[in-house]
Amino acid sequence: QDRSTTPACDAEQVVPPTTSKGGCNDEETSKEFEVKISRTDFIANTGGDVPATATFLNSPAKTLGALLDASTGSTIFVSEVYDGDCPVAVYNRTAPPERQLKVSDFIVEVNEHRGNMTVMMQEMHLNRTLTLRVTRALEYEISVRKRNTLGCSI
């Protein structure tokens, strides 16, 4: 019997939602959008602002206001977004909801650098002004009727 045409399980049809959990429609969420943020890092007794490179002890989460996960390989996953006076929160207060940086977003480009995680993370650490290209994650619900097995080992 040809396995390529016989499904391993009886799955219902997957239908994408008309809106994502964030309330934006699929057309808006599948496109990239731009987020521009600037941070002002201050070190006491220096007389003012200094470049972000001088504050190497501060993490991007602390200086930007978002916890980022670079383990995906080619994009940066936004794990947490903080409130307060941090640059991401300040940006989010003025941006429309569909353009705010949110948990589960993916940063696909940093200051025109894309696809090279090392360079993208260096840009995040070394530059005070950041232009990010972001995509929003889409969530789908899939119903599977289990027979004897799901066809994979979980």
Side-chain angles (χ1 to χ4, degrees):
Q1 186 175 13
D2 182 9
R3 290 186 169 264
S4 63
T5 59
T6 305
C9 62
D10 187 17
E12 296 177 15
Q13 183 179 9
V14 177
V15 179
T18 55
T19 60
S20 68
K21 284 194 173 184
C24 302
N25 69 39
D26 280 345
E27 190 173 307
E28 291 172 343
T29 57
S30 62
K31 295 180 182 176
E32 293 180 7
F33 60 94
E34 191 170 87
V35 173
K36 289 188 175 200
I37 56 176
S38 296
R39 63 175 176 232
T40 303
D41 299 14
F42 180 82
I43 298 178
N45 301 324
T46 60
D49 295 337
V50 295
T53 52
T55 61
F56 63 91
L57 296 176
N58 287 338
S59 69
K62 199 178 221 182
T63 60
L64 293 176
L67 183 60
L68 307 173
D69 178 357
S71 66
T72 62
S74 60
T75 62
I76 301 168
F77 180 73
V78 180
S79 301
E80 292 183 45
V81 174
Y82 304 115
D83 291 327
D85 291 330
C86 54
V88 169
V90 170
Y91 166 82
N92 279 349
R93 283 194 292 271
T94 60
E98 67 275 7
R99 299 284 187 226
Q100 292 176 359
L101 189 65
K102 298 179 182 182
V103 171
S104 298
D105 282 348
F106 291 91
I107 300 169
V108 296
E109 184 177 293
V110 179
N111 292 347
E112 299 182 357
H113 296 280
R114 177 185 290 254
N116 184 328
M117 186 58 63
T118 303
V119 172
M120 289 169 60
M121 290 307 292
Q122 284 175 343
E123 288 291 314
M124 296 289 273
H125 284 281
L126 300 178
N127 289 290
R128 180 183 301 193
T129 302
L130 300 171
T131 301
L132 312 175
R133 299 291 301 170
V134 178
T135 61
R136 184 120 312 138
L138 295 177
E139 296 183 12
Y140 297 90
E141 286 188 22
I142 300 172
S143 298
V144 178
R145 284 185 293 240
K146 182 181 173 190
R147 292 186 180 172
N148 294 333
T149 178
L150 288 175
C152 59
S153 52
I154 297 177

